[in-house]
Amino acid sequence: MDKGKASILGMVIAIYILAVLLKGFSIEVFLNFVILILILYFAAFKNKKKDVSEYKRIKKELSDQLYFTSQLMDSLPHPLFYIDDQQCFLGCNTAYEQAFEVSGCELAGIPIRDLPHLPMDAYHNLREMMAEVTESGQSSIRQIQRTFASGETHHILYTLSAYRLSDDSVGGYLGIMTDISDLKHKEKEILDNRNFLNAIISHIPVMITVKDVRTLKVFMGNQASADFLGLTPEELGDLELKSVFPEEIARRMIESDKKVIATGQVLSEIDIIPDDSENCNLRYVRTTKLPILDVEGQPLYLLIVSEDITEARRKEAELKHALNLAEEATAAKSQFLANMSHEIRTPMNAIIGLAYLALKTELNPKQQDYLSKIHNAGTSLLGIINEILDFSKVESGKLELENAEFVLTDVISGALDLAGQTAHEKGLQLLCEIPPEVPSRLNGDPLRLGQIMTNLLSNAIKFTEAGEVSIVVELHSRIDSKVKLQFSVRDTGIGMSKGTETKVFQAFTQADSSTTRKFGGTGLGLAISRKLVGLMGGSLWVDSEEGRGSTFTFTAWFDIVPVTDLPARPVPVTTLDVQEKDYRLSGTRVLLVEDNEINRQIAAELLRSRGLLPDIAVNGAEAVRMVESMSAERPYSIVLIDLQMPEMDGFQAGARIRELVPDLPMIAMTARTMQEERERCFAAGMNGHVAKPIDPDILFTTIGRWVSHGNNQESAEGAGKAAEFRSSTETLPFLKLKGIETGKGLSRAGHNRELYISLLLKYAGNQRETVASLRKALGAKDTAAALRLAHNLKGVSGNIGVTEVQKLAGILGKMLDSPAEPQELEQLLNRLEAAFYASTEEILSQLGGSDHYNAAKFIPEQQNEPPVKLLSRLEDMLKDSDSEAVDYFASVRSVLALAMTPDELRQLEYSLGMFEYEEALSLTRQAIRDRNYELRLM
């Protein structure tokens, strides 16, 4: 054999050894192959010439090949050894020597049972593996634990193979020890993590199920899923939905599963599942499904997470029911307060009014004292009722802030004006300080800001006997177009203890709660103020020292209005200027829509008295036509519209007018005053709501809110009509008609004597037909017509003061709104007819069907008291909205003429006649200040 062939033979042997070690081929195949090569080699060699040199060369080549094979085995990282068929150790690689710290040369020829590093259990294990190899002719593989020389125990993958001789007998054994300790540790870590996750999944309260995407059978599920289905977790394996759910529900679930698998998208849904065979009880299950993908992005499993929300839905239904009950209770409370307010105010007005009238008669001192106390107690009680209603509105969350532009100094001036007289009577000095950096024009709720300031000022004055009360406004912070202002009201009064400071803002709590307390009040003012401040985004607190005074401070956020060329009116530090209220309505064109003749006449005369120019429509359809045909040069500035009318009602007409002229303001006028009716008006597109009987002050205040000023070209015409109206309203005769509140009716007619008598006579003549038509509509069960007639009768009766008919017509309207017994309706209708005919008989008997009333004129009582005192008494009555303020003014008019200019006196008289109590109060206070200023100069 030449050198090339020998090299080839060596490479073949080396490659084969590598193949055996790396690919796991049988060792006996390897040995047989080596022996075969050597036999062939030597046979060829013997057939050659016995050349010694050639022999040496071949021997060297064989030696080199064996050395190469030894190096190849030593390069393997796994311990490797080989033994002969007599179980004697033949050799090993370097990895074996290092693992057990032995020498292969020293161990060669030693029987394996005598190997010093081989424990007895390892020896027996090796014997068993050799027997398996001999018997089966296959390699024996076992996982064992073996301690190396370092003392560490390793997990070993033990492989033993045999090589056979030419006679097929076992020539020896080759063993390989692969260290799999790291693999075992990873396997244990994975197993621990799996057990950990299984424990979590098994005990998690939601249902978790995994399905095979090919069969859609359950692959695994947790305890919650098993409990829901009444099974064990083991029973979930290979479960089909049809076996646990009705066929239709199972089909729907399977379709949902297929959709998730096809789209790869997450799906969430709520399944409704019957809980029993009768399908009487249902369970609601919220389910989320998503696919689990393999490394190639293909669906492998379907994960389903479900939660039984039946109990949650039951509790949700209970909460909704409880919320509905709470809302109903709140509505009932509001309705109760509204009804109680009406029921209490009616007798209170009688008590206060009659006490006032009695005080004007000749009385002995004791009677004068008793009646004065009755009158004062009545007015105080009326104020308490107002506070309780205001507090209730705040507590129920129905109070909403407006967002309107205002001048800060105007609001402060208004609060100072209201408190000025009381401060003057107590000899207190009022001070106000507003630094220049405080913005003057703001957006917010000026009414509520004024209410807070007035309350704090009133408290400060009430608890201060001497010294001063001051207001300080400061700029707290500013962010972009928003500003946070800080208001402080400081007094030099009695102060309070620290313990009282913590309770003073609680509802119905006062600083002095003892049975001998000196200062009155409900204890609601500060509680209401704190609520309002909270709505404005601020806070209210107090700093006080007993015996030295208190400082109430609050903050509030406002929007800054860009400064225009019109400067704000400054508030002097030590004076109390007041801005005269002026609606500037003269010349304003108004479309009045009213189907009732008397109501039309009252409203039209009231409008003309202020210089407004009304055009009249008798129903909604006519109003729409008049808006369509109105002149562009003389458009209507506002529409006053009744809601219940024939042909086309106010809601339909309002909607049509809103389409024609979207920016035209519309004010609803109706005898229905409930909050729901007001909300319905606003929902229909109305800009405001005025209740019947019409209060002139409220009417013109509402109009003034939407009409900033009159038409300049027509203001002269309007002013002329207003002057003509005022010339006919001198001091009027006091009409006395049984069952009719002529004072209120006369006031609503603007104290126009001729107009009021005309209205009374028209009422007695025209409303007979209304009452007859009402009975006819009820007989025909025409509820809509009966409701409209009752509504009209209520409004007309209230406007002229026939209160009993007004009351009964209102009750009848409410009964018609809800199912009522025919017998009850008949009884109520009989009472209504009796009251109506009694009133009309009184009107006709007293007025005789004539427009002239010959009763003696009421002569005002000339007072000997100073004008300022009379003005102060008038101010107190106006603050309480006392309806007798008009009569009181008439009785002292000649004395007040000495303290007021003719224009001021006429304006005050006119404001009182129009029920504009707010404007009248402002004029009265201005007159008081002017008179006090004149006295100081003297």
Side-chain angles (χ1 to χ4, degrees):
M1 179 181 294
D2 57 18
K3 184 176 179 181
K5 293 181 178 178
S7 298
I8 292 172
L9 176 62
M11 290 302 295
V12 168
I13 295 172
I15 292 171
Y16 184 73
I17 291 174
L18 283 174
V20 170
L21 295 176
L22 298 178
K23 296 186 178 180
F25 289 168
S26 173
I27 190 64
E28 60 265 31
V29 177
F30 159 69
L31 292 176
N32 290 335
F33 181 77
V34 172
I35 292 170
L36 177 63
I37 296 300
L38 291 175
I39 291 172
L40 292 174
Y41 183 82
F42 283 111
F45 179 73
K46 288 179 181 180
N47 292 329
K48 298 291 184 179
K49 187 177 180 180
K50 303 295 184 178
D51 189 345
V52 176
S53 60
E54 183 69 16
Y55 173 79
K56 290 181 178 180
R57 186 182 62 79
I58 293 173
K59 181 180 179 181
K60 184 178 183 304
E61 288 182 0
L62 288 174
S63 177
D64 290 341
Q65 294 300 325
L66 290 174
Y67 181 73
F68 172 77
T69 303
S70 176
Q71 283 185 320
L72 183 63
M73 294 173 61
D74 287 341
S75 67
L76 296 175
H78 307 301
L80 179 148
F81 68 93
Y82 40 96
I83 56 179
D84 60 16
D85 60 340
Q86 301 299 317
Q87 300 183 7
C88 291
F89 193 88
L90 293 180
C92 63
N93 68 350
T94 302
Y96 188 95
E97 291 177 342
Q98 292 175 349
F100 298 103
E101 295 183 359
V102 295
S103 172
C105 295
E106 294 177 357
L107 297 178
I110 299 176
I112 58 175
R113 67 177 177 274
D114 297 330
L115 291 175
H117 66 281
L118 187 65
M120 189 56 62
D121 59 338
Y123 167 70
H124 290 303
N125 183 66
L126 182 57
R127 287 286 303 271
E128 292 174 0
M129 293 178 68
M130 286 189 295
E132 289 178 6
V133 172
T134 302
E135 181 179 353
S136 66
Q138 303 292 327
S139 298
S140 176
I141 301 174
R142 293 187 179 183
Q143 289 189 27
I144 64 171
Q145 291 187 11
R146 186 74 182 272
T147 303
F148 286 2
S150 63
E152 296 180 354
T153 299
H154 293 252
H155 292 273
I156 301 297
L157 180 64
Y158 207 162
T159 304
L160 186 68
S161 302
Y163 60 90
R164 296 184 182 274
L165 301 177
S166 59
D167 57 359
D168 201 33
S169 61
V170 175
Y173 301 91
L174 176 65
I176 300 176
M177 306 172 70
T178 305
D179 191 346
I180 59 173
S181 297
D182 290 341
L183 184 62
K184 279 290 184 179
H185 292 155
K186 293 292 183 182
E187 182 180 311
K188 183 179 183 301
E189 184 178 344
I190 292 172
L191 184 60
D192 291 342
N193 289 337
R194 178 185 297 175
N195 293 336
F196 175 73
L197 291 175
N198 286 340
I200 292 177
I201 292 173
S202 296
H203 293 87
I204 201 168
V206 298
M207 295 173 278
I208 298 178
T209 308
V210 179
K211 291 184 179 180
D212 190 323
V213 296
R214 296 169 299 176
T215 63
L216 291 181
K217 291 183 178 180
V218 176
F219 174 72
M220 64 164 289
N222 66 348
Q223 187 65 49
S225 298
D227 292 342
F228 182 80
L229 298 175
L231 304 172
T232 64
E234 292 76 17
E235 293 174 328
L236 292 176
D238 290 334
L239 182 70
E240 292 188 2
L241 295 179
K242 295 179 181 179
S243 63
V244 291
F245 294 119
E247 182 177 355
E248 179 61 26
I249 294 177
R251 183 189 61 78
R252 190 170 65 247
M253 289 182 174
I254 292 173
E255 289 178 355
S256 174
D257 293 345
K258 291 180 179 179
K259 180 180 179 182
V260 173
I261 295 171
T263 62
Q265 301 295 322
V266 178
L267 176 66
S268 295
E269 58 187 0
I270 294 179
D271 295 322
I272 303 176
I273 301 172
D275 194 27
D276 50 33
S277 58
E278 289 79 16
N279 296 344
C280 296
N281 297 322
L282 299 177
R283 303 182 75 174
Y284 295 84
V285 180
R286 180 187 290 115
T287 301
T288 300
K289 300 179 180 181
L290 67 154
I292 299 175
L293 308 179
D294 59 16
V295 293
E296 296 178 354
Q298 297 300 316
L300 186 63
Y301 296 105
L302 179 65
L303 175 63
I304 303 174
V305 180
S306 305
E307 182 181 7
D308 188 350
I309 60 172
T310 306
E311 185 65 17
R313 287 179 69 92
R314 184 185 65 79
K315 291 182 177 179
E316 181 182 354
E318 291 177 354
L319 287 175
K320 287 183 179 179
H321 180 65
L323 180 61
N324 290 336
L325 291 178
E327 290 176 347
E328 289 176 3
T330 301
K333 174 185 174 183
S334 300
Q335 183 64 41
F336 171 77
L337 288 173
N339 292 338
M340 289 304 297
S341 170
H342 178 269
E343 296 300 326
I344 292 175
R345 285 172 182 273
T346 301
M348 286 306 304
N349 280 333
I351 293 171
I352 295 171
L354 293 175
Y356 164 72
L357 292 175
L359 285 171
K360 295 199 297 183
T361 63
E362 294 183 4
L363 302 170
N364 60 45
K366 181 176 288 189
Q367 293 171 333
Q368 182 81 21
D369 178 58
Y370 288 167
L371 289 172
S372 295
K373 290 177 179 177
I374 291 174
H375 186 269
N376 292 337
T379 54
S380 298
L381 180 58
L382 199 58
I384 292 172
I385 293 170
N386 290 335
E387 279 194 339
I388 292 175
L389 290 175
D390 207 2
F391 178 74
S392 174
K393 185 183 294 184
V394 173
E395 284 293 292
S396 63
K398 293 185 177 180
L399 190 146
E400 297 181 358
L401 298 181
E402 293 184 357
N403 189 28
E405 182 179 342
F406 67 94
V407 178
L408 178 62
T409 52
D410 290 348
V411 176
I412 301 297
S413 296
L416 290 170
D417 291 341
L418 293 175
Q421 180 61 29
T422 308
H424 175 73
E425 292 174 354
K426 298 182 72 172
L428 302 177
Q429 185 178 13
L430 289 182
L431 303 174
C432 179
E433 180 181 349
I434 304 178
E437 64 268 17
V438 175
S440 60
R441 290 190 172 274
L442 304 170
N443 260 335
D445 193 329
L447 178 63
R448 296 303 177 183
L449 176 60
Q451 182 179 349
I452 298 168
M453 293 300 303
T454 300
N455 183 270
L456 297 182
L457 276 173
S458 299
N459 279 346
I461 294 171
K462 178 167 51 173
F463 292 102
T464 303
E465 295 300 329
E468 65 184 31
V469 175
S470 62
I471 297 176
V472 178
V473 185
E474 300 172 280
L475 178 62
H476 184 280
S477 57
R478 180 169 181 168
I479 301 176
D480 297 330
S481 62
K482 292 184 176 294
V483 64
K484 186 177 186 179
L485 300 183
Q486 179 170 302
F487 301 82
S488 300
V489 177
R490 185 181 298 110
D491 64 65
T492 57
I494 62 175
M496 66 185 79
S497 64
K498 295 300 179 183
T500 304
E501 286 184 16
T502 60
K503 301 184 297 182
V504 74
F505 294 106
Q506 298 176 8
F508 306 103
T509 300
Q510 287 195 323
D512 180 11
S513 59
S514 65
T515 56
T516 59
R517 64 191 179 100
K518 176 181 178 181
F519 306 99
T522 62
L524 287 175
L526 289 176
I528 295 172
S529 296
R530 173 168 274 190
K531 293 282 187 181
L532 293 175
V533 168
L535 292 175
M536 293 180 178
S539 55
L540 170 63
W541 68 93
V542 60
D543 293 316
S544 183
E545 184 177 351
E546 199 164 3
R548 302 194 56 142
S550 304
T551 300
F552 283 84
T553 307
F554 72 92
T555 57
W557 284 95
F558 303 95
D559 293 326
I560 302 175
V561 177
V563 179
T564 62
D565 295 335
L566 298 175
R569 181 173 55 84
V571 179
V573 174
T574 58
T575 61
L576 303 175
D577 294 345
V578 61
Q579 185 179 20
E580 180 180 313
K581 187 176 180 181
D582 184 6
Y583 294 123
R584 294 190 294 168
L585 299 176
S586 180
T588 300
R589 295 198 68 221
V590 180
L591 176 58
L592 174 64
V593 189
E594 172 64 68
D595 66 313
N596 184 275
E597 181 183 2
I598 295 178
N599 286 341
R600 280 201 308 271
Q601 189 171 1
I602 291 175
E605 293 298 333
L606 284 175
L607 294 172
R608 294 188 185 104
S609 71
R610 290 291 293 179
L612 287 83
L613 305 175
D615 288 345
I616 298 174
V618 298
N619 55 55
E622 184 178 353
V624 172
R625 289 193 294 270
M626 293 178 70
V627 171
E628 288 176 333
S629 61
M630 70 178 178
S631 170
E633 291 76 19
R634 299 186 61 191
Y636 295 119
S637 298
I638 195 168
V639 177
L640 304 179
I641 184 168
D642 187 21
L643 295 180
Q644 292 186 317
M645 297 180 293
E647 291 191 40
M648 181 184 290
D649 63 25
F651 294 109
Q652 296 171 323
R656 181 70 182 124
I657 292 173
R658 180 66 68 216
E659 293 176 0
L660 294 172
V661 188
D663 298 331
L664 181 59
M666 289 185 291
I667 307 299
M669 299 192 305
T670 175
R672 292 175 171 265
T673 59
M674 295 299 295
Q675 180 64 25
E676 293 78 7
E677 190 72 17
R678 295 172 60 88
E679 292 175 357
R680 186 184 175 197
C681 291
F682 295 133
M686 302 293 175
N687 300 97
H689 176 280
V690 175
K692 296 177 182 178
I694 297 173
D695 185 320
D697 180 55
I698 295 175
L699 175 63
F700 292 120
T701 299
T702 305
I703 295 175
R705 187 178 296 127
W706 295 100
V707 180
S708 59
H709 56 80
N711 188 310
N712 292 332
Q713 296 179 353
E714 301 177 7
S715 58
E717 179 186 349
K721 291 184 178 294
E724 179 183 348
F725 176 85
R726 285 194 291 269
S727 66
S728 65
T729 58
E730 301 299 327
T731 303
L732 304 172
F734 191 79
L735 301 174
K736 292 184 179 180
L737 298 175
K738 183 179 179 181
I740 300 175
E741 296 186 9
T742 55
K744 290 183 178 179
L746 199 59
S747 296
R748 291 192 178 97
H751 285 273
N752 187 322
R753 166 181 163 278
E754 300 295 334
L755 170 63
Y756 184 53
I757 292 175
S758 173
L759 292 174
L760 287 171
L761 292 172
K762 285 183 179 180
Y763 176 84
N766 298 347
Q767 294 305 311
R768 290 176 180 271
E769 182 179 350
T770 300
V771 174
S773 299
L774 183 57
R775 175 171 287 280
K776 183 178 180 181
L778 288 174
K781 296 184 179 180
D782 188 351
T783 305
L787 189 61
R788 180 176 56 82
L789 291 169
H791 167 79
N792 286 340
L793 184 60
K794 175 188 174 183
V796 174
S797 302
N799 275 334
I800 65 171
V802 187
T803 53
E804 182 65 17
V805 176
Q806 175 197 6
K807 176 182 176 183
L808 293 173
I811 296 173
L812 180 60
K814 291 180 180 179
M815 291 181 67
L816 292 172
D817 272 338
S818 57
E821 295 294 332
Q823 185 178 359
E824 294 179 357
L825 286 174
E826 180 63 26
Q827 292 176 354
L828 181 60
L829 185 58
N830 291 336
R831 292 175 55 196
L832 176 62
E833 287 178 334
F836 172 76
Y837 288 123
S839 300
T840 56
E841 184 178 350
E842 176 69 10
I843 293 172
L844 295 174
S845 64
Q846 292 294 329
L847 301 181
S850 171
D851 285 346
H852 300 284
Y853 182 62
N854 298 319
K857 287 190 175 183
F858 175 73
I859 302 176
E861 179 183 357
Q862 300 297 323
Q863 303 288 343
N864 295 322
E865 297 178 8
V868 172
K869 191 170 183 179
L870 300 178
L871 286 169
S872 298
R873 190 173 300 164
L874 178 61
E875 178 192 20
D876 291 338
M877 298 175 73
L878 291 172
K879 284 196 297 185
D880 295 333
S881 298
D882 192 333
S883 60
E884 297 298 336
V886 178
D887 291 339
Y888 177 77
F889 170 81
S891 68
V892 298
R893 185 180 187 280
S894 59
V895 181
L896 296 181
L898 302 175
M900 303 175 68
T901 65
D903 288 340
E904 291 173 342
L905 189 65
R906 280 195 298 270
Q907 193 168 8
L908 177 58
E909 184 178 18
Y910 177 70
S911 298
L912 287 168
M914 292 297 100
F915 264 51
E916 293 183 358
Y917 284 167
E918 185 178 358
E919 183 174 357
L921 181 62
S922 176
L923 293 169
T924 303
R925 286 174 172 163
Q926 181 65 50
I928 292 172
R929 283 195 298 276
D930 293 343
R931 186 60 178 167
N932 288 333
Y933 180 74
E934 293 171 1
L935 292 175
R936 286 196 297 271
L937 292 178
M938 296 170 61

